[in-house]
Amino acid sequence: MKSIKESFTTDAINIKTYPLGEYDNIVVMFSRQYGLIKGIAKGVKRPKSKLGARMQMLVANKIMLKNGRNFDTICEAQALNTFTKLRTNLDKLTYSMYLTEIINAMCTDSDEDVESNEKIYQLFYNVLEGISNSLNKIEIFLHSIRFQLKFMAQIGYGAEFETCLKCGCKIADGAYFSVSSGGVVCKNCRHGSDVYIGLHKKIREFLIAQQNCQNGEKTSYDELVDENFCEKCFLLLKKYIDSHASRPARALKVLKEIT
Ligand SMILES: [Zn+2]
């Protein structure tokens, strides 16, 4: 779609950069219209670069790109949100980086499903803003968990917590979660070769509430949960996502190594 135009404009969030030669960087971005895209930020490492700080990780820009043979070139960038408060807190930064890794691992280059790209962009933008404004680690977890659930649903891997994957019964109590299938089975159906993780009723109910809540809304669980409970849920979803990703996310491993 974009290849027929000489240049194009889109909103995009920087998710990864790597060096190209002495002065340039390649920037991987998730864009509102085209999904995952790459562009060269020419001269970005020169002291007087006009792109400069806008090409850092986790900045949302309105950008103009010019089509190139191998790579598009980023000609202009106007910052939409720099998510400043992400950068001053190691937890905020680490969980945000983890989310960029999921997007990078699960999305494909220049996906032309504009409607889906738009939804993922909005989820991503909202989660970065949410994490940026979080007042404690529980809030960071809540934003991350919602993103994990909603992002997976958006790309066609929505997790099932209400109905047994095997017999279809409505589960009333605890259940068993299959990481590879991304859903729960009832106690009668848990026998077989799949590996299951026991899910307490409270965890199941909490995850269903997070799955169904709209952006910006609170659920009745948000005030009740503690950090441990949230971390458990977060890691369960991480396991599920890792099992579907081409490469497992590293950001949290790095946090463990430096703290
Ligand atoms: Zn069953």
mmCIF file of all heavy atoms in Angstrom, residues 163-171 184-190, ligand 1:
data_model
loop_
_atom_site.group_PDB
_atom_site.id
_atom_site.type_symbol
_atom_site.label_atom_id
_atom_site.label_comp_id
_atom_site.label_asym_id
_atom_site.label_seq_id
_atom_site.Cartn_x
_atom_site.Cartn_y
_atom_site.Cartn_z
ATOM 1 N N THR A 163 -14.877 -20.760 29.903
ATOM 2 C CA THR A 163 -15.462 -22.012 29.428
ATOM 3 C C THR A 163 -14.375 -23.066 29.235
ATOM 4 O O THR A 163 -13.301 -22.747 28.720
ATOM 5 C CB THR A 163 -16.155 -21.765 28.066
ATOM 6 O OG1 THR A 163 -16.972 -20.610 28.182
ATOM 7 C CG2 THR A 163 -17.018 -22.930 27.656
ATOM 8 N N CYS A 164 -14.663 -24.294 29.663
ATOM 9 C CA CYS A 164 -13.690 -25.389 29.488
ATOM 10 C C CYS A 164 -13.427 -25.609 28.003
ATOM 11 O O CYS A 164 -14.352 -25.757 27.213
ATOM 12 C CB CYS A 164 -14.222 -26.665 30.138
ATOM 13 S SG CYS A 164 -13.196 -28.119 29.781
ATOM 14 N N LEU A 165 -12.125 -25.607 27.634
ATOM 15 C CA LEU A 165 -11.745 -25.769 26.229
ATOM 16 C C LEU A 165 -12.161 -27.129 25.686
ATOM 17 O O LEU A 165 -12.375 -27.291 24.493
ATOM 18 C CB LEU A 165 -10.224 -25.657 26.081
ATOM 19 C CG LEU A 165 -9.567 -24.288 26.242
ATOM 20 C CD1 LEU A 165 -8.060 -24.434 26.065
ATOM 21 C CD2 LEU A 165 -10.122 -23.294 25.241
ATOM 22 N N LYS A 166 -12.270 -28.124 26.585
ATOM 23 C CA LYS A 166 -12.530 -29.482 26.086
ATOM 24 C C LYS A 166 -14.014 -29.828 26.064
ATOM 25 O O LYS A 166 -14.530 -30.293 25.049
ATOM 26 C CB LYS A 166 -11.752 -30.504 26.909
ATOM 27 C CG LYS A 166 -10.253 -30.452 26.574
ATOM 28 C CD LYS A 166 -9.515 -31.651 27.100
ATOM 29 C CE LYS A 166 -8.044 -31.595 26.697
ATOM 30 N NZ LYS A 166 -7.233 -32.487 27.525
ATOM 31 N N CYS A 167 -14.709 -29.655 27.208
ATOM 32 C CA CYS A 167 -16.113 -30.088 27.238
ATOM 33 C C CYS A 167 -17.082 -28.922 27.084
ATOM 34 O O CYS A 167 -18.283 -29.121 26.913
ATOM 35 C CB CYS A 167 -16.420 -30.880 28.506
ATOM 36 S SG CYS A 167 -16.500 -29.859 29.985
ATOM 37 N N GLY A 168 -16.562 -27.685 27.134
ATOM 38 C CA GLY A 168 -17.431 -26.526 26.913
ATOM 39 C C GLY A 168 -18.277 -26.125 28.108
ATOM 40 O O GLY A 168 -19.121 -25.242 27.990
ATOM 41 N N CYS A 169 -18.034 -26.750 29.272
ATOM 42 C CA CYS A 169 -18.841 -26.377 30.440
ATOM 43 C C CYS A 169 -18.431 -24.999 30.943
ATOM 44 O O CYS A 169 -17.290 -24.561 30.751
ATOM 45 C CB CYS A 169 -18.713 -27.417 31.551
ATOM 46 S SG CYS A 169 -17.145 -27.344 32.455
ATOM 47 N N LYS A 170 -19.361 -24.299 31.554
ATOM 48 C CA LYS A 170 -19.091 -22.996 32.152
ATOM 49 C C LYS A 170 -18.409 -23.262 33.492
ATOM 50 O O LYS A 170 -18.968 -23.943 34.348
ATOM 51 C CB LYS A 170 -20.421 -22.265 32.343
ATOM 52 C CG LYS A 170 -20.268 -20.828 32.675
ATOM 53 C CD LYS A 170 -20.749 -19.948 31.504
ATOM 54 C CE LYS A 170 -20.628 -18.486 31.880
ATOM 55 N NZ LYS A 170 -19.886 -17.693 30.942
ATOM 56 N N ILE A 171 -17.203 -22.729 33.694
ATOM 57 C CA ILE A 171 -16.469 -23.053 34.911
ATOM 58 C C ILE A 171 -16.902 -22.129 36.050
ATOM 59 O O ILE A 171 -16.981 -20.913 35.873
ATOM 60 C CB ILE A 171 -14.948 -22.972 34.664
ATOM 61 C CG1 ILE A 171 -14.563 -24.097 33.688
ATOM 62 C CG2 ILE A 171 -14.162 -23.099 35.960
ATOM 63 C CD1 ILE A 171 -13.175 -24.037 33.172
ATOM 64 N N VAL A 184 -8.609 -22.416 29.711
ATOM 65 C CA VAL A 184 -8.783 -23.260 30.885
ATOM 66 C C VAL A 184 -9.556 -24.536 30.548
ATOM 67 O O VAL A 184 -10.327 -24.578 29.592
ATOM 68 C CB VAL A 184 -9.546 -22.504 32.002
ATOM 69 C CG1 VAL A 184 -8.662 -21.449 32.637
ATOM 70 C CG2 VAL A 184 -10.841 -21.892 31.482
ATOM 71 N N VAL A 185 -9.319 -25.560 31.354
ATOM 72 C CA VAL A 185 -10.162 -26.759 31.306
ATOM 73 C C VAL A 185 -10.695 -27.011 32.725
ATOM 74 O O VAL A 185 -10.115 -26.550 33.711
ATOM 75 C CB VAL A 185 -9.404 -28.013 30.804
ATOM 76 C CG1 VAL A 185 -8.919 -27.820 29.371
ATOM 77 C CG2 VAL A 185 -8.253 -28.377 31.718
ATOM 78 N N CYS A 186 -11.804 -27.729 32.818
ATOM 79 C CA CYS A 186 -12.392 -28.041 34.122
ATOM 80 C C CYS A 186 -11.647 -29.217 34.754
ATOM 81 O O CYS A 186 -10.801 -29.838 34.112
ATOM 82 C CB CYS A 186 -13.880 -28.363 33.962
ATOM 83 S SG CYS A 186 -14.174 -29.923 33.120
ATOM 84 N N LYS A 187 -11.980 -29.518 36.007
ATOM 85 C CA LYS A 187 -11.208 -30.559 36.705
ATOM 86 C C LYS A 187 -11.411 -31.942 36.080
ATOM 87 O O LYS A 187 -10.556 -32.800 36.191
ATOM 88 C CB LYS A 187 -11.512 -30.561 38.210
ATOM 89 C CG LYS A 187 -12.949 -30.823 38.601
ATOM 90 C CD LYS A 187 -13.034 -30.809 40.133
ATOM 91 C CE LYS A 187 -14.396 -31.205 40.655
ATOM 92 N NZ LYS A 187 -15.517 -30.357 40.220
ATOM 93 N N ASN A 188 -12.520 -32.148 35.392
ATOM 94 C CA ASN A 188 -12.760 -33.450 34.747
ATOM 95 C C ASN A 188 -11.956 -33.628 33.463
ATOM 96 O O ASN A 188 -11.792 -34.733 32.983
ATOM 97 C CB ASN A 188 -14.247 -33.612 34.414
ATOM 98 C CG ASN A 188 -15.109 -33.555 35.663
ATOM 99 O OD1 ASN A 188 -14.714 -34.061 36.715
ATOM 100 N ND2 ASN A 188 -16.259 -32.918 35.551
ATOM 101 N N CYS A 189 -11.520 -32.538 32.905
ATOM 102 C CA CYS A 189 -10.875 -32.598 31.584
ATOM 103 C C CYS A 189 -9.361 -32.405 31.630
ATOM 104 O O CYS A 189 -8.714 -32.327 30.602
ATOM 105 C CB CYS A 189 -11.471 -31.544 30.656
ATOM 106 S SG CYS A 189 -13.184 -31.830 30.241
ATOM 107 N N ARG A 190 -8.793 -32.298 32.831
ATOM 108 C CA ARG A 190 -7.377 -31.915 32.886
ATOM 109 C C ARG A 190 -6.425 -33.071 32.618
ATOM 110 O O ARG A 190 -5.213 -32.880 32.561
ATOM 111 C CB ARG A 190 -7.057 -31.271 34.219
ATOM 112 C CG ARG A 190 -6.964 -32.260 35.356
ATOM 113 C CD ARG A 190 -6.665 -31.558 36.647
ATOM 114 N NE ARG A 190 -7.317 -32.229 37.739
ATOM 115 C CZ ARG A 190 -6.703 -32.586 38.852
ATOM 116 N NH1 ARG A 190 -5.433 -32.320 39.010
ATOM 117 N NH2 ARG A 190 -7.355 -33.197 39.800
HETATM 118 ZN ZN ZN B 1 -14.232 -29.853 30.818
#
